[in-house]
Amino acid sequence: MTVLPLRPDLQGCEPYGAPELDVPVRLNVNENPYPPSPAVAADIAAAVGRAAAGLNRYPDRDFPALRSALADYLDAEAGVRLDWRQIWAANGSNEVMLQVLQAFGGPGRSCLSFTPTYSMYPEYARDTFTRYVTVARREDFTLDTDAVAAAIERERPAVVILASPNNPTGTALPLDDVAAILEAARGHGPDDAAAGPDPADCVVVVDEAYGEFRRPGVPSALELLARTDAAGAHRYPHLAVTRTMSKAFGMAGLRLGYLAGSRELVDMLRIVRLPYHLSAVSQAAALAALAHREELMSQVASLREERDALVTWLRAQGWTAYESDANFVLFGPFADREAVWQGLLDRGVLIRVVGPDGYLRVCVGTPQEMERFRDALVHVTTGADTADTKENNA
Ligand SMILES: Cc1ncc(COP(=O)(O)O)c(C=O)c1O
């Protein structure tokens, strides 16, 4: 029998991913439910067509045009003006964060995060031989910054990952908490890194994949990137903020995620990226999509309203539903969450079993999709169900 030499630490592991099921109402992977308009789709197709004429050549390896367009977008979205050399991009923010771990993690080093949180973080750590260390969030899923500072001092992690808004809880971090963690990270990085007398800092990644859904008045950690000291130098050169076009921007199929940070940090990521990792097709499509940012983002306000209405409705049904700054809501508790998930699926509604025991996560869809979700949940949890509805929706 053939035995392939899979790494011992990967033996028995399954590929990551939510079930991909073809059902009418898909509310399980936090996508934007609105497809691009025909006009936007046509523009993207035309841009890809132009790129196709030059596909005999490798793409632009450092893609300054796309990085400039992303910097313009961040300026418009968060009011923070960054130089294009402070932006980096890859095939989804997953790849960007893997590159962060490739550059800063590694054997003998650790990555610190705060549970419950996004379940890909331990995979980036595993894939880069970085030890993954977690500290529990408070009961309301906020962070105890003193406990975070103590963990940083104890662990001296190379990378700290803070998801804000957090997945699967929807919790956004106050800027003061992020600033306190950045201060705690100063000089507390791994002790094998320092080339001179100064100790290394930890790299602090604020994962803002859902940043655009934050409620009015909730700031973005991008604002901290704009802060300088008296001499005009970056106050937080060890901060990286990751974003994606997959969520609010409605381009999950494009696979384009990006990072904003100091030039120094971005240049270190360039060491580990594969040459030409971002295809000419991706670059052209992303640039064309960014030119339509207002139209693509036009549904964000109504998705936020739909989310807040969902929290109110779930609470009125007697469930705990957490306030969310993202496009999903964590709710429960259910004695048997798998049974509720299956009951919803039987009625054509796919959500996600994730997070603390007994809880489920539902993403905000169109008003029609939310109506189907509400009807199905009432049926499943009150037993107000008939064999007929089950069959009709299967
Ligand atoms: C918290 C968080 N970060 C990052 C990602 C990765 O997104 P992408 O790779 O599509 O940019 C996700 C996707 O669900 C997420 O929930």
Side-chain angles (χ1 to χ4, degrees), residues 187-204:
H188 285 114
D191 50 19
D192 63 353
D198 294 330
D201 299 336
C202 328
V203 169
V204 177

Side-chain angles (χ1 to χ4, degrees), residues 29 92-94 97 118 121 163 167 207 209-210 244 246-247 255 257:
V29 286
S93 53
N94 269 323
M97 285 189 275
Y118 182 42
Y121 300 156
N167 179 6
D207 175 358
Y210 302 96
T244 181
S246 300
K247 308 295 181 182
R255 306 307 296 128

Side-chain angles (χ1 to χ4, degrees), residues 215-240:
R215 284 171 289 183
V218 175
S220 160
L222 288 167
E223 291 180 25
L224 297 173
L225 276 180
R227 292 196 189 164
T228 49
D229 63 18
H234 272 308
R235 188 130 160 227
Y236 303 115
H238 54 313
L239 168 64

Side-chain angles (χ1 to χ4, degrees), residues 239-282:
L239 168 64
V241 181
T242 53
R243 290 270 184 122
T244 181
M245 292 176 75
S246 300
K247 308 295 181 182
F249 213 88
M251 285 279 136
L254 175 58
R255 306 307 296 128
L256 201 296
Y258 52 105
L259 170 148
S262 59
R263 277 182 62 178
E264 197 183 346
L265 189 147
V266 167
D267 282 343
M268 289 176 177
L269 296 181
R270 291 173 57 230
I271 299 172
V272 297
R273 60 106 180 91
L274 294 174
Y276 316 110
H277 69 292
L278 208 53
S279 82
V281 170
S282 298

